[in-house]
Amino acid sequence: MAKKKNQHYVPEFYLKRFSPDKEKRTIGIWNLRRRQKIIGASLRDQCSLDYFYGKDLILEESFEDLERLASGLLKRIDKAGALPEPCSNSHALLLIHLATQWARTKYMADAVQDMEESFLNYLSELDEQEAKRFRDDIRRHLDNPVHLSILILMEIFPLLLDLDCKILANQTAIEFVTSDNPVVFYNQLFSFQKSQSNTGIAVKGLQIFFPIAPGKVLLFYDSTAYSVGRRNQPIVEVSDSHDVDQINLLQMANCQHNVYFRDTSIDLEPLDVRGHRFRRKAMSRLETFPIGKTENGSQELLAMSMSDVVTNLSLSFVRITRRTRRWRARFQRLKSRPALVIRNQALHDEFKKHQDKIRNLEVDSMSLFKHLCAKYHQRK
């Protein structure tokens, strides 16, 4: 086999955390298409494609370095039973690992391509020549659609720094599962709003679920919107099997092809049946809004976004705060609602001031992370 031809979009070190054998060579699979449980599947063959990131190996080798650091960080979290200090290098590493894992999957590559095709189809109806020029331009500058999502997330990951994080420690007999698309963005606060995506990286009410072992899930969340577990306690002991079921349902609904598990006795067929109704009908959505007339016709605002997973999530240890419930009630009464509600306007504005410097390589994302940390904690 050619050197580094088999490139994983969910890292081997991560999947090994869900392996049942000492050698960490196998893993359990629930395959959606066949609706079949597979025991003892080769772990090495999961979540990988030949030259997924390209034959130049630049991105593949960058991920090797990140995975080595992330693996060490998760082991330290296991050992300490605690999360990194806010704004530390380890905190930044955790957010980078989270963001890149969300951005680097086959599902994300397909979703980016779906958005591109939707836009080009829309443009073709207006101007076929312009659509062809735009398509050629995209292909000239972007060989692989997943590269775009990774570049964007590596640029904007500092906007995650204001999210609180807790470890959900499983105390039940049912394990947490994971999948080939393991990072799930959710938003219980805006569950009433079905017509648009509510899971942008800077949106009010954002929640991110990331299983890191059969007994642990990391929950990143907007602490101005939610109360999670006990105040000032970094670990939430999950003792209700309904909660575990709800978190596993997120994985079943969010995955592309496979759900992965360690416990060979687990029965995932009922979860698959329930998860089917919550899976996305389309990977992306395109909406147009008329904004005015011109001499030659009319103007429209084009809005494109990823499709959200919505499972009617209900967890016993997560509550929307009283203040935020009052805010939501006022928001729902508005005749004209803003398309986007920013979670932390001061942080967002400070980030925007420096965004061009990142794009021009005058400032790197890590330096901006430290700068935003200082600004954010001054205001807390």
Side-chain angles (χ1 to χ4, degrees), residues 2 9 16 21 51 53 57 67 70 83 103 144 163 189 200 215 226-227 258 302 313 319 323 338 348 353 364 366:
Y9 50 87
K16 285 179 179 179
D21 59 274
Y51 298 119
Y53 302 115
L57 303 183
E67 289 167 15
L83 294 160
N144 186 327
L163 294 178
L189 177 62
Y226 307 104
S227 169
N258 293 321
L302 186 67
L313 180 68
R319 292 179 176 82
R323 181 178 179 181
H348 186 265
K353 281 168 53 179
D364 61 73
M366 190 63 188

Side-chain angles (χ1 to χ4, degrees), residues 102 107-108 111-112 115 196-199 280 282-285 304-308:
W102 181 73
Y107 179 88
M108 180 61 77
V112 170
M115 291 176 73
Q196 64 189 61
S197 173
N198 300 304
T199 57
R280 301 170 178 93
M283 287 184 161
S284 64
R285 63 171 75 199
M304 298 190 68
S305 62
M306 304 278 290
S307 296
D308 293 346

Side-chain angles (χ1 to χ4, degrees), residues 25-268:
R25 292 179 181 174
T26 67
I27 197 164
I29 301 175
W30 177 264
N31 181 262
L32 293 190
R33 184 177 61 83
R34 290 184 285 176
R35 300 191 71 180
Q36 181 181 1
K37 181 178 176 180
I38 303 167
I39 302 297
S42 170
L43 189 146
R44 176 177 171 78
D45 297 332
Q46 304 309 312
C47 301
S48 67
L49 290 168
D50 289 351
Y51 298 119
F52 180 64
Y53 302 115
K55 292 186 177 181
D56 60 13
L57 303 183
I58 294 172
L59 200 53
E60 171 69 6
E61 291 175 352
S62 296
F63 279 138
E64 286 180 359
D65 293 336
L66 174 60
E67 289 167 15
R68 176 178 51 80
L69 294 170
S71 177
L73 175 60
L74 294 188
K75 288 176 182 176
R76 291 195 295 276
I77 291 173
D78 290 339
K79 185 176 181 180
L83 294 160
E85 286 294 319
C87 290
S88 64
N89 289 339
S90 293
H91 180 207
L93 173 61
L94 185 61
L95 295 182
I96 291 169
H97 176 51
L98 174 77
T100 53
Q101 182 54 75
W102 181 73
R104 68 186 283 191
T105 61
K106 176 67 165 56
Y107 179 88
M108 180 61 77
D110 291 346
V112 170
Q113 198 159 15
D114 185 71
M115 291 176 73
E116 176 190 320
E117 289 301 320
S118 296
F119 172 71
L120 290 171
N121 289 339
Y122 171 80
L123 192 57
S124 292
E125 294 178 5
L126 302 176
D127 188 331
E128 195 167 334
Q129 285 300 114
E130 182 65 12
K132 183 180 183 305
R133 184 199 65 76
F134 197 87
R135 184 188 296 273
D136 292 343
D137 193 52
I138 289 174
R139 289 178 176 172
R140 185 164 56 251
H141 292 94
L142 197 65
D143 294 331
N144 186 327
V146 79
H147 289 186
L148 177 61
S149 60
I150 293 168
L151 287 171
I152 292 172
L153 262 294
M154 284 305 294
E155 176 183 315
I156 66 175
F157 90 87
L159 286 173
L160 295 169
L161 74 86
D162 67 318
L163 294 178
D164 277 15
C165 182
K166 291 198 174 184
I167 300 170
L168 309 183
N170 193 342
Q171 305 297 314
T172 76
I174 306 168
E175 67 174 28
F176 290 129
V177 300
T178 190
S179 73
D180 53 9
N181 191 29
V183 177
V184 186
F185 280 44
Y186 204 88
N187 194 325
Q188 287 178 277
L189 177 62
F190 282 98
S191 59
F192 65 91
Q193 195 161 260
K194 312 291 186 184
S195 62
Q196 64 189 61
S197 173
N198 300 304
T199 57
I201 200 167
V203 168
K204 185 178 180 68
L206 181 64
Q207 300 158 295
I208 306 175
F209 294 83
F210 185 24
I212 59 169
K216 295 188 187 75
V217 166
L218 299 183
L219 170 54
F220 299 81
Y221 64 99
D222 176 2
S223 61
T224 66
Y226 307 104
S227 169
V228 177
R230 295 182 179 179
R231 183 177 295 184
N232 300 323
Q233 293 295 318
I235 297 177
V236 178
E237 293 192 352
V238 181
S239 56
D240 188 336
S241 59
H242 171 78
D243 290 329
V244 176
D245 178 77
Q246 287 281 292
I247 294 169
N248 285 344
L249 185 61
L250 289 176
Q251 289 296 318
M252 188 64 77
N254 195 60
C255 79
Q256 187 169 21
H257 300 299
N258 293 321
V259 166
Y260 297 103
F261 57 87
R262 183 172 65 185
D263 180 8
T264 57
S265 67
I266 195 170
D267 181 9
L268 290 177

